[in-house]
Amino acid sequence: MIIEQGSFAVGGTVITNPGTFNPYNPTPEGQTFHGDHAYVFYQIPTESKKLPLVMWHGIGQFSKTWETTPDGREGFQNIFLRRKFPVYVIDQPRRGNAGRSTVPATINPIPDEQQWFDTFRIGIWPNYFEGVQFSRDSLTLNQYFRSMTPSIGTIDANINSDAVSKLFNKIGPAILVTHSHSGGMGWLTALKNQNVKAIISYEPGSGFLFPDGEVPSPKASSAGTLEAVGIPKEDFMLLTKIPIVIYYGDFIPEQPSNNPGIDGWRVRLEMARLWRDVVNKYGGDVTVVHLPEVGLKGNTHFPFSDLNNIEVANLMSKWLKEKGLDK
Amino acid sequence: MIIEQGSFAVGGTVITNPGTFNPYNPTPEGQTFHGDHAYVFYQIPTESKKLPLVMWHGIGQFSKTWETTPDGREGFQNIFLRRKFPVYVIDQPRRGNAGRSTVPATINPIPDEQQWFDTFRIGIWPNYFEGVQFSRDSLTLNQYFRSMTPSIGTIDANINSDAVSKLFNKIGPAILVTHSHSGGMGWLTALKNQNVKAIISYEPGSGFLFPDGEVPSPKASSAGTLEAVGIPKEDFMLLTKIPIVIYYGDFIPEQPSNNPGIDGWRVRLEMARLWRDVVNKYGGDVTVVHLPEVGLKGNTHFPFSDLNNIEVANLMSKWLKEKGLDK
């Protein structure tokens, strides 16, 4: 039961070309270009909860992240609509349906899917991890690979968090749900907008913000080095004002591995724990959940669309209830 | 009341790079690239009609065409869901959320919006046409310009109609609703797939298919020359087997104009009428409706999102009923 649904652009900028537009002989002179907005599709169920969920995809992805799963089941969009939350799904600026980019882009079809299979922790191509919560048929893999779409130009964390902040201006207090690369941009958005009332972050990938002077040293992995980011203490303190939960899935090693597909996540989980400790030291409320530790085994980098995604959603619902965010 | 909704990719191809993938030192060697699919979002209302509507956007556009209007009202997606049709909205291959393109693309932010304002017949920039069914506030224009998104590489009518034909394989008999540039690709899709049970085409822009030997001569306009396309007679005959209705809006001149924004539509409307006559001569059922002639004044190139879009929808509903397509 959906009472209202629709779509809109939010944020962005306008390029205005000098000169005068001549309708009888049009050239770029005197014309405009609106770009760098986010695109948002929203649905509001009947008798809905007060705080909407704003769902933001990760790298190479778009709103599909939260929609139908690669094997054809319901994703978090539908699951949380059924649980009576208004749901807003985003395409971030320069991605998917928000493709009007103010910067030039060259996009080449470079074969890269086996690397994503490994980096998203489905297995070590062509083998699946034992017990992985991912359907092993070719139709699923076909849908999975087709759920990617390129960036039109560079990914700009400031432009992206500006657009999402403007979304929170428009809709008011809401809960931000991030995945992977939007994790770091989610913290930035919370600094910009106090309508971000809570953050649920699945496998944040980078951009952990620490107070200047307390930035941990970079963490090396076989997938590259992860660096934390320093910001002024007073900005950092804003992150102590809202409840935050971070989830990581399975197949993340404790010790360094020469498999870059999994080793990058080892240092991210370590960094997330360091970050939790510093935010909480200053009065914050950050929880880091490594899913296998609470009994959820076999999750990939996309827990919300894995085969056990109802259990993953139940865990999120439980946290929302504990924090009084599901009224 | 939505009973089911979701999204999926359909159609497309796979590039397979030679070599062997090495997970410990990944390069493009031995990797794949899935691209050139369409992206589809669908919703099925309770107690739904038998034949779904498949809505396909035009040039520079994506699914937004059918969603919330630029001034914030309901578009054809919601209007026809309320009228109990299952609705499928498409992003065609290499567009919007279907951005994985198998060909390289260079995309530049070239200011072009005043030209679209004119070509889409809102007015002659910066003036609106008198009586135009378009809200004259800056917020509307902002949303309107942000409803465009670039093609990732060339638009390929064959690839696009292949993907949409595969959608009709998947969902079975349905009604295709096209706009502008998808008009011509819609005829192609009907040639490829007999599950296309009817076509409703808003302002088809090109690709009118005539039997070889009966192709009309090219039509010159100040917006360029419009050429019809010849195909074998036996293929053409497939277009005589289904009901087709074509709608054009207002502000289309009878006589040649030096304003390319409107003059291109003059020759398209003329060509549509020639096409109707030839299809009907061979037993077809094509209706061309010039909206002002049936009392709907002020429509732009986007009648389905104009201020009077409920009346435009009513006209479409009436046609569906007449043809027995709304059971």
Side-chain angles (χ1 to χ4, degrees):
Chain A
M1 295 263 293
I2 304 294
I3 204 163
E4 185 187 332
Q5 69 174 22
S7 66
F8 54 84
V10 69
T13 186
V14 183
I15 295 170
T16 302
N17 221 17
T20 304
F21 175 65
N22 177 0
Y24 301 97
N25 183 22
T27 67
E29 270 191 39
Q31 297 207 58
T32 57
F33 183 98
H34 289 60
D36 291 354
H37 47 270
Y39 162 82
V40 181
F41 181 75
Y42 73 96
Q43 294 179 292
I44 301 174
T46 53
E47 296 160 21
S48 67
K49 309 276 187 186
K50 200 171 147 199
L51 292 177
L53 297 169
V54 174
M55 299 183 177
W56 189 353
H57 60 78
I59 208 151
Q61 311 289 318
F62 59 100
S63 62
K64 187 77 174 81
T65 293
W66 313 105
E67 298 165 10
T68 306
T69 65
D71 54 280
R73 293 168 301 107
E74 294 200 322
F76 266 27
Q77 180 186 43
N78 283 10
I79 290 170
F80 283 94
L81 284 168
R82 291 189 188 282
R83 295 182 187 187
K84 294 296 183 184
F85 286 88
V87 172
Y88 291 70
V89 292
I90 298 176
D91 283 0
Q92 75 186 24
R94 306 180 183 173
R95 181 74 55 77
N97 285 338
R100 286 280 270 194
S101 167
T102 64
V103 295
T106 301
I107 298 166
N108 290 306
I110 297 168
D112 59 359
E113 291 167 344
Q114 283 59 36
Q115 191 171 353
W116 290 121
F117 181 96
D118 287 8
T119 300
F120 293 160
R121 302 201 318 280
I122 299 170
I124 303 179
W125 180 267
N127 301 304
Y128 291 78
F129 286 133
E130 195 179 323
V132 68
Q133 298 276 0
F134 192 91
S135 189
R136 299 176 188 218
D137 58 285
S138 63
L139 289 177
T140 294
L141 208 53
N142 180 61
Q143 288 292 323
Y144 190 70
F145 288 148
R146 294 183 191 281
S147 71
M148 303 199 75
T149 204
S151 281
I152 318 296
T154 48
I155 300 174
D156 185 313
N158 198 40
I159 285 174
N160 292 353
S161 52
D162 272 355
V164 178
S165 175
K166 291 220 167 74
L167 173 61
F168 278 84
N169 284 345
K170 182 178 166 75
I171 67 174
I175 300 161
L176 183 57
V177 185
T178 61
H179 176 225
S180 195
H181 197 241
S182 66
M185 296 189 285
W187 320 136
L188 272 181
T189 306
L191 297 187
K192 292 180 180 183
N193 200 312
Q194 288 172 42
N195 280 337
V196 179
K197 291 302 181 195
I199 298 180
I200 296 154
S201 188
Y202 287 94
E203 302 222 343
S206 59
F208 287 99
L209 307 174
F210 288 83
D212 285 331
E214 300 186 53
V215 180
S217 46
K219 291 186 168 289
S221 81
S222 62
T225 297
L226 177 67
E227 302 206 38
V229 179
I231 58 171
K233 177 81 175 287
E234 63 184 275
D235 292 342
F236 173 84
M237 287 303 290
L238 292 166
L239 298 170
T240 68
K241 308 299 183 201
I242 56 171
I244 295 171
V245 64
I246 296 174
Y247 298 103
Y248 283 93
D250 206 342
F251 313 113
I252 300 177
E254 294 284 328
Q255 301 300 323
S257 163
N258 66 340
N259 174 5
I262 59 172
D263 205 43
W265 301 109
R266 175 181 58 82
V267 292
R268 282 166 178 79
L269 176 53
E270 285 175 14
M271 187 68 85
R273 287 168 170 156
L274 290 178
W275 186 72
R276 168 198 63 196
D277 293 344
V278 178
V279 180
N280 290 351
K281 180 178 80 178
Y282 289 110
D285 178 12
V286 175
T287 308
V288 175
V289 180
H290 189 201
L291 292 174
E293 292 173 6
V294 297
L296 268 65
K297 310 278 193 188
N299 282 107
T300 74
H301 184 49
F302 291 66
F304 37 76
S305 59
D306 282 341
L307 289 171
N308 62 345
N309 68 341
I310 294 287
E311 290 172 75
V312 175
N314 290 346
L315 209 60
M316 176 171 143
S317 285
K318 185 160 166 271
W319 183 84
L320 288 167
K321 189 177 177 65
E322 279 168 15
K323 301 300 173 187
L325 297 165
D326 67 345
K327 309 284 188 203
Chain B
M1 295 262 292
I2 305 294
I3 204 165
E4 185 187 332
Q5 68 175 23
S7 65
F8 54 85
V10 68
T13 186
V14 183
I15 296 170
T16 302
N17 222 18
T20 305
F21 176 65
N22 177 359
Y24 302 96
N25 182 25
T27 68
E29 269 191 41
Q31 298 208 57
T32 58
F33 183 98
H34 288 60
D36 291 354
H37 48 269
Y39 162 83
V40 181
F41 181 75
Y42 74 96
Q43 294 179 292
I44 300 174
T46 52
E47 294 160 24
S48 66
K49 309 275 189 188
K50 199 172 148 201
L51 293 176
L53 297 169
V54 174
M55 299 183 176
W56 189 352
H57 60 77
I59 208 151
Q61 313 288 317
F62 60 100
S63 63
K64 186 78 174 82
T65 292
W66 314 105
E67 300 165 7
T68 306
T69 66
D71 53 279
R73 292 168 302 107
E74 294 199 323
F76 266 27
Q77 180 186 44
N78 283 10
I79 289 170
F80 283 95
L81 284 168
R82 290 189 189 283
R83 295 182 187 187
K84 295 295 184 186
F85 286 88
V87 173
Y88 291 70
V89 291
I90 297 176
D91 284 0
Q92 75 187 22
R94 306 180 182 173
R95 183 75 54 77
N97 285 339
R100 287 280 271 195
S101 167
T102 63
V103 293
T106 302
I107 298 166
N108 290 305
I110 297 167
D112 59 359
E113 291 166 343
Q114 283 59 36
Q115 192 171 353
W116 291 121
F117 181 96
D118 286 9
T119 300
F120 293 159
R121 301 199 321 278
I122 300 171
I124 303 178
W125 181 268
N127 301 305
Y128 291 77
F129 286 132
E130 195 179 323
V132 69
Q133 297 277 2
F134 192 91
S135 190
R136 297 176 188 219
D137 59 283
S138 63
L139 289 178
T140 294
L141 207 53
N142 180 61
Q143 288 293 323
Y144 190 69
F145 288 148
R146 295 184 189 281
S147 71
M148 302 199 76
T149 203
S151 280
I152 318 296
T154 47
I155 300 175
D156 185 314
N158 198 40
I159 284 173
N160 293 353
S161 53
D162 272 356
V164 177
S165 174
K166 290 219 168 74
L167 172 61
F168 278 84
N169 284 345
K170 182 180 167 73
I171 68 174
I175 299 160
L176 182 57
V177 185
T178 61
H179 176 225
S180 196
H181 196 244
S182 65
M185 296 188 286
W187 320 137
L188 272 182
T189 306
L191 297 188
K192 293 181 180 182
N193 199 313
Q194 289 173 42
N195 281 336
V196 179
K197 292 302 180 195
I199 298 181
I200 296 154
S201 187
Y202 287 94
E203 302 222 341
S206 59
F208 286 99
L209 307 174
F210 288 83
D212 285 332
E214 299 186 52
V215 179
S217 46
K219 292 186 167 288
S221 81
S222 62
T225 296
L226 178 66
E227 303 205 37
V229 179
I231 59 171
K233 176 82 174 287
E234 62 182 276
D235 292 343
F236 173 85
M237 288 302 290
L238 292 167
L239 298 170
T240 68
K241 308 299 181 201
I242 55 171
I244 295 173
V245 64
I246 295 174
Y247 298 102
Y248 284 92
D250 208 341
F251 313 114
I252 299 177
E254 295 283 329
Q255 301 300 323
S257 162
N258 66 340
N259 174 5
I262 60 173
D263 205 43
W265 302 110
R266 175 181 59 81
V267 293
R268 282 166 178 78
L269 176 53
E270 285 175 14
M271 187 68 86
R273 286 169 171 156
L274 291 179
W275 186 72
R276 170 199 62 196
D277 293 344
V278 178
V279 180
N280 290 352
K281 180 177 79 176
Y282 289 110
D285 178 11
V286 175
T287 308
V288 174
V289 180
H290 188 201
L291 292 174
E293 292 174 6
V294 296
L296 269 64
K297 311 275 192 187
N299 281 107
T300 73
H301 184 48
F302 291 66
F304 39 76
S305 59
D306 282 342
L307 289 171
N308 63 345
N309 68 341
I310 293 288
E311 289 172 76
V312 174
N314 290 347
L315 209 59
M316 175 170 142
S317 285
K318 186 161 164 271
W319 184 84
L320 287 168
K321 190 178 178 63
E322 279 168 15
K323 301 299 173 189
L325 298 164
D326 67 345
K327 307 287 185 196

